[in-house]
Amino acid sequence: MEFYVEEGKELDQNCSTLILPALSIGNVGQLAVDLLIASLKAEKIGYLDDPNILPCVGNDAYWPSPPGDLTLPLEAYESSSSALTLVQQRSPVVKGMMVEYAKNLANFASSNGKKHVIILSSLDFGRWHTIDVSSGLQVYYLSTSNIDGTDEDCERLGWNRLQEYNPSQRMWKYLNTLAEVGSALEEDLPFEELGDEDYYPSLPFAALFSCFKAKGLKVTCLLCYCSEGDNIPEGFHLAEAASKLMRLSQNEFHGNEAGKWIIPFSWKSVYGPPADISLF
Amino acid sequence: MDDVVTDIPPPSRFMLEDLNNFTPPSHPLPSPFLVFSTLDYSKSFHPSLLIIAMSSPSLHLLHHLSSKTLIGTLVLPEFPFSGNSVEPSLSDKSCNIYALNDSDRLIMIALVQYSVTSERSHAVAKLLIGERIIPERVLILDSVQSRNFRGKLSPDDIFAVKLETSFERKSSDTGDSPLIKGLDYFPSGSVVDGLAAALLSRCQLKKIKGTLCVSWPHFGVSVMSLVKSLLLKGALAGINHSSDADLEDEYLRFSRSKDFHLDSELYT
């Protein structure tokens, strides 16, 4: 993975926290990062070029003007006032290369002075075993602060540790092995059949978690359950959770939506064009 | 009526393998490579303009440009040479590279006549831009991908839109004539993927002036006329554009063979 700095820009070494999405059902992590970048008016600092990311290009995702600012699949933004770097990913990972991609990202983070990484991801509602409707859309988390995945700040915010996390479980241990330099995914898994307990470590957020952890960085995964559909509300929810964890104040945001959020310009067409009214 | 509780859920926006860390990777393919007619393997090319054509109208147009010389080819090992003709043909699975004769500056044209997968695009883009071929400006010609376009698309619409690297946009501010004139920018929220995206990304990363022009529809004499007009007013202005065929007539026949609407069983 190579990092290309935008002309006239440089990485702010004070931006020690990195926020990024993990690919997940409903693209919730990516929606949340879009909201944060737009609402913090984070500045584009550069591009990450990785052969494990499929190519895509588009027009500026956040602002209608100046027109034509090119968007690439993996971009880094900074909000110096919030000491935050944000990486947005817009296209999938090449089949079978998720762990390699996660290792490359972890190398980028550790070699550029990042201390804390916040990964935003969703989980499939169909896998939710203990449904708790009393608490609304709950935020779950996973942290490297303690061996069992707990973290005091997250607990104080009323979030639940991901119950299904078990660092001794075979797939979490296998991920830790893969996250080490020089280890590569074997063609055949060293296990015969995968069961329910292997589901969570198979998800992209787990690869990122393990690879950043292997670099000695503090990692917090923020998760919420959802089904696929209109996942914008979940995007807001995770973005709000990230801003609470980072203790971002209201005046660091520039929006009008619920007092602080700016809707990215590209969201106007996120569900395609309006219906052809001549049908009616 | 569908039972939303018990029925199998609709396909995800992601494939299951996209969200599985333990999906085995595909078997690696041999690397693509360039072959040039020069025997000097260290020779690099510095065209003032590199045109990379992928859309059907642009391929047809540039294939029939008579003032060009074949100088090389990009070999993708997964596409065998069998079935290709000795003389370049539009039906070949090839990526031939030409130099335009009639110009005081080197203009190179690559005609990408095979379908490069997204997974291979990064490697192909590296070969075409920035290693042995180091262009000052790049023009990529592709078609709008309906699966990635969030606006309305009708087969009756004829249009083209563009994306540019930041260096190309700045060069317009400092007086350079744009490669493609009079086009709106690709609308925000829609994307282009595949080889065209990999090529424009490479231009952006290497600080090369690059323009991607995507046209719609994929086939048709009208869209070919549009692309021809854009090229003659911009990138190929002042260049001898004589062709070796009756372009429109031939392309009309070709387009009809691709127009699936005319193959409807309703009209048998």
Side-chain angles (χ1 to χ4, degrees):
Chain A
M1 179 182 282
E2 284 185 68
F3 179 62
Y4 292 84
V5 182
E6 274 269 71
E7 190 86 351
K9 307 272 176 71
E10 57 182 18
L11 279 173
D12 183 344
Q13 297 303 319
N14 294 323
C15 292
S16 57
T17 298
L18 169 63
I19 296 183
L20 63 139
L23 296 185
S24 59
I25 184 167
N27 303 88
V28 174
Q30 292 157 291
L31 291 170
V33 170
D34 255 3
L35 271 173
L36 287 164
I37 289 172
S39 306
L40 293 170
K41 290 204 171 173
E43 199 185 351
K44 191 188 296 189
I45 293 300
Y47 309 96
L48 292 155
D49 182 38
D50 193 299
N52 299 309
I53 288 285
L54 296 179
C56 79
V57 291
N59 200 339
D60 191 335
Y62 301 110
W63 311 108
S65 75
D69 195 23
L70 187 64
T71 292
L72 265 52
L74 209 51
E75 297 182 324
Y77 291 79
E78 272 185 356
S79 169
S80 295
S81 58
S82 311
L84 270 181
T85 301
L86 303 106
V87 165
Q88 178 59 297
Q89 179 184 348
R90 298 199 176 279
S91 58
V93 175
V94 171
K95 190 178 91 157
M97 304 308 289
M98 184 65 71
V99 177
E100 280 308 301
Y101 166 66
K103 279 192 214 178
N104 291 343
L105 260 182
N107 285 337
F108 163 74
S110 76
S111 58
N112 283 284
K114 306 305 168 197
K115 305 276 186 296
H116 183 195
V117 180
I118 300 174
I119 301 166
L120 306 181
S121 178
S122 49
L123 302 169
D124 187 354
F125 182 79
R127 294 277 184 166
W128 202 9
H129 293 298
T130 314
I131 298 174
D132 176 7
V133 298
S134 64
S135 52
L137 188 57
Q138 175 63 273
V139 173
Y140 294 83
Y141 76 91
L142 185 59
S143 171
T144 54
S145 295
N146 298 310
I147 293 174
D148 64 355
T150 56
D151 175 82
E152 280 179 15
D153 287 339
C154 295
E155 291 292 325
R156 195 168 41 244
L157 286 164
W159 301 337
N160 294 336
R161 183 200 73 117
L162 184 68
Q163 296 290 336
E164 290 81 359
Y165 176 65
N166 175 3
S168 311
Q169 195 267 346
R170 62 179 186 174
M171 288 312 243
W172 282 108
K173 288 171 77 170
Y174 182 48
L175 257 186
N176 284 339
T177 307
L178 291 177
E180 289 159 13
V181 174
S183 300
L185 187 65
E186 294 169 27
E187 202 162 295
D188 295 314
L189 280 178
F191 312 106
E192 282 186 10
E193 272 189 34
L194 299 185
D196 277 350
E197 71 279 6
D198 301 314
Y199 171 67
Y200 288 89
S202 77
L203 295 176
F205 86 86
L208 292 167
F209 178 81
S210 301
C211 291
F212 284 118
K213 187 170 79 148
K215 286 289 181 184
L217 304 177
K218 178 181 174 184
V219 193
T220 309
C221 298
L222 299 183
L223 313 156
C224 68
Y225 282 92
C226 72
S227 298
E228 199 160 81
D230 178 0
N231 297 110
I232 287 176
E234 286 88 3
F236 270 100
H237 199 65
L238 271 192
E240 180 66 40
S243 79
K244 281 183 181 161
L245 185 65
M246 291 300 305
R247 296 181 186 158
L248 300 178
S249 64
Q250 189 84 356
N251 59 14
E252 290 177 80
F253 292 85
H254 299 266
N256 294 319
E257 296 282 339
K260 65 189 196 186
W261 299 110
I262 294 178
I263 305 293
F265 183 60
S266 59
W267 284 22
K268 284 189 188 328
S269 59
V270 68
Y271 294 118
D276 181 359
I277 59 170
S278 65
L279 287 172
F280 307 104
Chain B
M1 192 166 159
D2 290 343
D3 184 336
V4 296
V5 175
T6 61
D7 278 2
I8 297 168
S12 168
R13 293 195 278 268
F14 285 112
M15 309 279 282
L16 277 177
E17 61 190 22
D18 291 334
L19 299 181
N20 186 348
N21 297 326
F22 308 115
T23 300
S26 306
H27 289 296
L29 290 168
S31 300
F33 56 94
L34 286 168
V35 177
F36 286 105
S37 52
T38 173
L39 292 177
D40 181 0
Y41 295 112
S42 65
K43 179 180 166 64
S44 59
F45 299 85
H46 297 262
S48 60
L49 174 63
L50 170 64
I51 300 176
I52 305 170
M54 282 172 277
S55 68
S56 169
S58 64
L59 282 171
H60 196 86
L61 199 63
L62 294 170
H63 171 78
H64 286 296
L65 209 58
S66 51
S67 59
K68 65 185 191 297
T69 303
L70 178 65
I71 61 168
T73 192
L74 191 154
V75 178
L76 262 186
E78 59 264 38
F79 289 103
F81 293 125
S82 63
N84 285 354
S85 50
V86 173
E87 291 296 321
S89 160
L90 274 172
S91 57
D92 290 346
K93 296 272 186 249
S94 64
C95 176
N96 286 336
I97 300 169
Y98 301 84
L100 268 191
N101 304 338
D102 210 2
S103 173
D104 54 1
R105 55 202 169 105
L106 177 58
I107 296 177
M108 288 171 70
I109 298 175
L111 302 183
V112 186
Q113 292 178 195
Y114 40 48
S115 183
V116 180
T117 62
S118 283
E119 289 79 0
R120 287 290 248 172
S121 296
H122 194 269
V124 171
K126 275 186 85 171
L127 272 183
L128 282 175
I129 298 173
E131 291 186 348
R132 282 190 76 183
I133 304 174
I134 304 162
E136 283 179 34
R137 284 177 107 173
V138 176
L139 174 61
I140 306 148
L141 300 164
D142 201 357
S143 292
V144 173
Q145 302 156 338
S146 52
R147 66 181 181 279
N148 293 327
F149 193 77
R150 291 288 174 268
K152 284 186 180 178
L153 282 177
S154 157
D156 299 327
D157 292 334
I158 316 285
F159 70 90
V161 284
K162 67 176 180 181
L163 285 168
E164 293 169 332
T165 63
S166 43
F167 275 80
E168 176 64 35
R169 284 166 60 224
K170 280 179 199 163
S171 72
S172 303
D173 294 340
T174 55
D176 271 357
S177 187
L179 287 176
I180 293 282
K181 293 179 184 170
L183 287 191
D184 290 335
Y185 283 110
F186 197 69
S188 177
S190 301
V191 296
V192 175
D193 65 12
L195 180 59
L199 289 163
L200 193 67
S201 294
R202 182 123 177 108
C203 291
Q204 177 75 1
L205 296 176
K206 294 297 179 190
K207 299 181 168 42
I208 293 173
K209 298 173 199 172
T211 303
L212 165 62
C213 171
V214 288
S215 55
W216 176 264
H218 287 196
F219 307 104
V221 172
S222 301
V223 65
M224 192 188 73
S225 298
L226 171 64
V227 171
K228 182 178 176 182
S229 162
L230 290 170
L231 284 173
L232 295 184
K233 287 179 190 166
L236 295 181
I239 302 292
N240 176 10
H241 56 271
S242 57
S243 71
D244 56 12
D246 183 341
L247 268 182
E248 291 190 0
D249 197 44
E250 200 171 304
Y251 195 59
L252 184 62
R253 282 198 303 272
F254 173 78
S255 292
R256 279 185 175 154
S257 72
K258 294 286 183 188
D259 188 348
F260 300 110
H261 296 296
L262 291 179
D263 292 333
S264 168
E265 290 177 2
L266 287 175
Y267 299 103
T268 55

